[in-house]
Amino acid sequence: MSQPNDNILEVRGLSVEFKTEDALVRAVDNLSFDLKKGEILGIVGESGSGKSVTGMSLLRLIPDPIGKIVSGTAHYKGRDLLQAPIEELKKIRGNEIGIIFQEPMTALSPLVTVGKQIVETLRLHHSMTTEEAWQSGIEWLGRVGIPEPEQRMHSYPFQFSGGMRQRVMIALVLMLEPSIIIADEPTTALDVTTQRQIFELILNVKSEQSSIVFITHDMGVIWQLCDRVMVMEKARKVEEGALRQLFSSPNEEYTKELLSAVPRLTDAPRARQSSEKQPIIEIENLRTWFPIKRGIFSRTVGHVKAVDDLSLQIMHGETLAVVGESGSGKSTLGRTILGLEKPTGGTITYRGNSLINLSRGEFLPFRRNLQIIFQDPFSSLNPRMTILDILTEGLEEHGLLNAEPKQDLAVRLLEEVQLEADHVFRYPHEFSGGQRQRICIARALSLKPELIICDEAVSALDVTIQAQVIDLLMELQERHDLSYMFISHDLSVVKKISDRTVVMRKGRIVEEGATSDVIVNPQHQYTKSLLDAVPIPGDESCRLVS
């Protein structure tokens, strides 16, 4: 372990402001902390607490002129990162201090294959030939758990699942072996087994003297990985200390709230009255394969079998959870049901009506009853539309606007998801992540659907907001007699919200049953491995570092 004064980074008095239409908002307020050589420092707090802005500020990646570092120093190896010439800072970025962003689609070019982006990065920072960089890229994709890495080097980012894109982003940072890694929610989109593999990889790759700033809202992750913890609330540091001390005897009420909000597998499962229900969705032998093309003539040389010979039913009024590792096909399954992906074979019926091979016009009458809430609320809301227009757009499209004023309809929908009436004239960027997800829920409710597919709808939310949104979803289900298909990699959340669970692996269902049975008494070894990988705060066996 490092000596007490053996610091690689010293931050003092950091303050960051953002300019809004109404005022200047202090995102980080007079923050000071140290990072020791070889240490993993966890920064934890709710969305809006300033933790991500802190990480971005260290490399001066705050968007200008909206944001501004107004004071402070960040000394690294005798240099103040906040005052260093930009050319000097460019040499430090990536080579000496790397950052893993939360949303890989914003960090990866959609127009360039993953392989070319890896080669470009390696050749920019290291003296390598194109062939050497290509072979290194194949090796690193394999190390972060991407199957068939030789083939996937030719794929574009949009051809990967969200979790697989994040693994590419992690590989791009780790392969440069920086002295400091700033990891900003790097495993939010990953299932627990892949998350653990990535943590072990990070620990193996980093040298004894390299350090990590790990930014997260997940106290389970903090427990698994970190040596020391800094808790942030409303732009300020509220508590800091050694990991075990902070978990066993937190001083601040806010820290206690964060710890108590963590969902656990030991929590009681959801209790609902059982009754005979009819299926609203019936799927038989569904296949959704994506071609792998090679060569100048783009010949198909194979397929990614995202969904492969899958059959299941979704019953009226139930919550069916679909769990599995990233790349298991669970999101593709949801998108195929909604007609957003074209199936290769099999059948999907909604109340006896086939949903296969319908044109957009033919599918439109069914779309009213089949809605989706995406993982990333920001990218699924049009930034140029007000909340009023977002919430009523679907009603206009389906010709369902009645004599009631649009504003009254929108206000009623906002109140359903516990937001204020005066929010209707605001834009998406004016809301926190949790509030944006509530708006997405309100939009899905606007058409009074029978089934809502929740595709990792709470994975990007901090634990306290996540708990509120889950409670809201369950309350709305009872009020409106909704059915949910709840796609998730978080088994603790699944236990809280779902009635029945199917476990997917490589496009197929490996286990299915009542959620309490699947979690308490799993039958398949893969399900057992998922459960064993769930981090339990306070359990010493879950720790990955001594």
Side-chain angles (χ1 to χ4, degrees):
M1 195 61 164
S2 305
Q3 295 301 313
N5 295 321
D6 193 13
N7 297 332
I8 191 172
L9 178 69
E10 296 179 349
V11 177
R12 297 290 181 269
L14 176 64
S15 293
V16 183
E17 291 181 343
F18 283 86
K19 186 186 299 182
T20 69
E21 293 181 359
D22 303 322
L24 284 175
V25 175
R26 184 64 64 98
V28 178
D29 191 9
N30 195 30
L31 180 67
S32 299
F33 66 92
D34 296 327
L35 179 66
K36 297 177 175 60
K37 292 180 181 177
E39 176 183 52
I40 302 178
L41 171 67
I43 303 181
V44 66
E46 295 176 295
S47 57
S49 62
K51 57 188 189 295
S52 291
V53 175
T54 298
M56 300 283 278
S57 299
L58 299 178
L59 290 176
R60 303 215 316 254
L61 295 175
I62 300 299
D64 185 39
I66 299 171
K68 184 179 180 182
I69 300 172
V70 294
S71 66
T73 59
H75 283 100
Y76 163 74
K77 293 184 177 180
R79 292 167 287 183
D80 183 1
L81 297 173
L82 305 186
Q83 299 297 327
I86 193 64
E87 291 304 317
E88 182 180 342
L89 192 62
K90 285 180 180 179
K91 294 176 182 178
I92 293 173
R93 291 172 180 166
N95 275 330
E96 298 186 55
I97 303 178
I99 184 165
I100 304 171
F101 295 100
Q102 179 176 0
E103 179 43 62
M105 277 302 280
T106 62
L108 296 171
S109 171
L111 303 176
V112 182
T113 64
V114 161
K116 287 183 178 179
Q117 293 186 64
I118 290 174
V119 168
E120 181 184 12
T121 300
L122 284 171
R123 296 200 67 196
L124 179 66
H125 293 277
H126 295 312
S127 298
M128 280 187 172
T129 65
T130 300
E131 178 60 27
E132 288 171 339
W134 187 269
Q135 290 303 316
S136 181
I138 292 172
E139 177 190 346
W140 270 98
L141 289 188
R143 291 181 73 178
V144 296
I146 292 179
E148 301 177 326
E150 297 92 342
Q151 294 184 359
R152 299 318 298 267
M153 285 282 282
H154 297 277
S155 300
Y156 291 87
F158 64 83
Q159 295 174 303
F160 289 84
S161 70
M164 291 174 74
R165 283 195 295 267
Q166 191 61 291
R167 280 183 265 181
V168 172
M169 186 70 239
I170 289 167
L172 280 165
V173 173
L174 292 183
M175 65 176 58
L176 299 180
E177 300 180 358
S179 299
I180 297 176
I181 298 170
I182 301 169
D184 186 5
E185 301 276 13
T187 58
T188 296
L190 301 180
D191 57 88
V192 287
T193 53
T194 304
Q195 178 176 268
R196 189 181 181 97
Q197 292 168 12
I198 292 297
F199 291 163
E200 290 172 346
L201 175 65
I202 291 173
L203 293 173
N204 290 335
V205 169
K206 87 177 193 72
S207 69
E208 287 188 9
Q209 296 301 303
S210 63
S211 310
I212 299 174
V213 177
F214 203 97
I215 298 165
T216 184
H217 61 257
D218 190 332
M219 296 299 280
V221 168
I222 290 286
W223 173 260
Q224 270 190 305
L225 200 62
C226 298
D227 303 307
R228 199 159 49 87
V229 188
M230 180 171 73
V231 182
M232 292 187 68
E233 181 190 23
K234 297 177 180 177
R236 286 180 169 268
K237 176 172 68 176
V238 297
E239 189 163 1
E240 183 178 9
L243 179 94
R244 290 177 178 84
Q245 178 184 349
L246 187 136
F247 269 71
S248 61
S249 12
N251 294 321
E252 299 297 323
E253 192 60 36
Y254 178 68
T255 309
K256 295 175 184 177
E257 289 174 8
L258 288 179
L259 288 167
S260 64
V262 177
R264 290 172 168 82
L265 286 174
T266 53
D267 293 343
R270 187 180 189 186
R272 301 182 75 196
Q273 291 294 111
S274 61
S275 60
E276 290 296 322
K277 296 184 182 294
Q278 296 298 314
I280 60 171
I281 294 287
E282 296 180 88
I283 298 170
E284 292 185 5
N285 308 116
L286 183 66
R287 300 191 309 278
T288 306
W289 296 2
F290 299 104
I292 301 170
K293 297 183 181 293
R294 292 284 185 275
I296 192 170
F297 298 110
S298 296
R299 291 192 177 96
T300 299
V301 297
H303 289 87
V304 175
K305 299 179 180 180
V307 177
D308 191 25
D309 197 28
L310 181 145
S311 300
L312 64 78
Q313 293 181 331
I314 303 175
M315 312 303 287
H316 176 75
E318 80 165 345
T319 299
L320 174 70
V322 181
V323 302
E325 295 175 302
S326 58
S328 62
K330 53 189 189 296
S331 290
T332 301
L333 171 61
R335 292 175 62 83
T336 305
I337 292 172
L338 294 174
L340 301 176
E341 299 289 355
K342 187 176 181 179
T344 309
T347 63
I348 305 172
T349 58
Y350 164 67
R351 294 204 174 280
N353 299 286
S354 174
L355 300 181
I356 297 292
N357 297 325
L358 299 181
S359 67
R360 184 182 182 279
E362 291 170 331
F363 202 98
L364 189 61
F366 300 110
R367 196 171 297 286
R368 173 186 174 182
N369 292 313
L370 306 171
Q371 292 290 301
I372 186 169
I373 303 167
F374 293 101
Q375 177 178 356
D376 181 6
F378 191 75
S379 63
S380 62
L381 296 173
N382 189 329
R384 300 186 178 207
M385 293 175 67
T386 65
I387 304 308
L388 171 64
D389 292 331
I390 287 171
L391 295 181
T392 57
E393 181 185 27
L395 293 167
E396 288 185 302
E397 174 75 12
H398 288 269
L400 297 174
L401 280 177
N402 52 32
E404 185 178 8
K406 285 173 60 174
Q407 184 174 337
D408 292 349
L409 281 167
V411 166
R412 193 166 69 247
L413 286 165
L414 287 178
E415 289 174 345
E416 282 255 47
V417 296
Q418 298 161 16
L419 292 176
E420 300 297 325
D422 61 0
H423 289 166
V424 290
F425 296 114
R426 295 186 185 180
Y427 290 86
H429 72 271
E430 299 180 73
F431 295 88
S432 69
Q435 287 175 319
R436 285 196 291 264
Q437 198 60 291
R438 287 172 184 266
I439 292 166
C440 290
I441 294 170
R443 179 176 61 182
L445 286 174
S446 66
L447 295 172
K448 299 181 180 178
E450 273 200 291
L451 171 69
I452 298 179
I453 296 176
C454 304
D455 188 4
E456 299 281 12
V458 298
S459 66
L461 305 178
D462 57 77
V463 287
T464 52
I465 303 299
Q466 182 185 83
Q468 294 169 16
V469 172
I470 290 169
D471 289 341
L472 173 64
L473 287 170
M474 292 192 292
E475 178 188 330
L476 292 170
Q477 182 174 44
E478 298 301 327
R479 191 186 307 163
H480 298 290
D481 198 22
L482 294 167
S483 303
Y484 291 138
M485 178 176 167
F486 193 85
I487 298 168
S488 179
H489 60 258
D490 192 328
L491 291 160
S492 304
V493 170
V494 161
K495 184 175 184 181
K496 182 175 181 179
I497 196 172
S498 67
D499 305 301
R500 197 160 53 90
T501 296
V502 299
V503 182
M504 287 187 67
R505 186 186 189 198
K506 296 181 179 178
R508 293 173 174 262
I509 293 175
V510 298
E511 187 158 354
E512 181 177 1
T515 297
S516 55
D517 293 338
V518 170
I519 289 180
V520 174
N521 187 29
Q523 300 301 305
H524 197 279
Q525 186 57 44
Y526 177 68
T527 310
K528 294 176 183 177
S529 70
L530 288 177
L531 291 164
D532 289 342
V534 175
I536 303 171
D539 185 342
E540 288 290 339
S541 66
C542 294
R543 290 275 293 156
L544 299 179
V545 293
S546 59

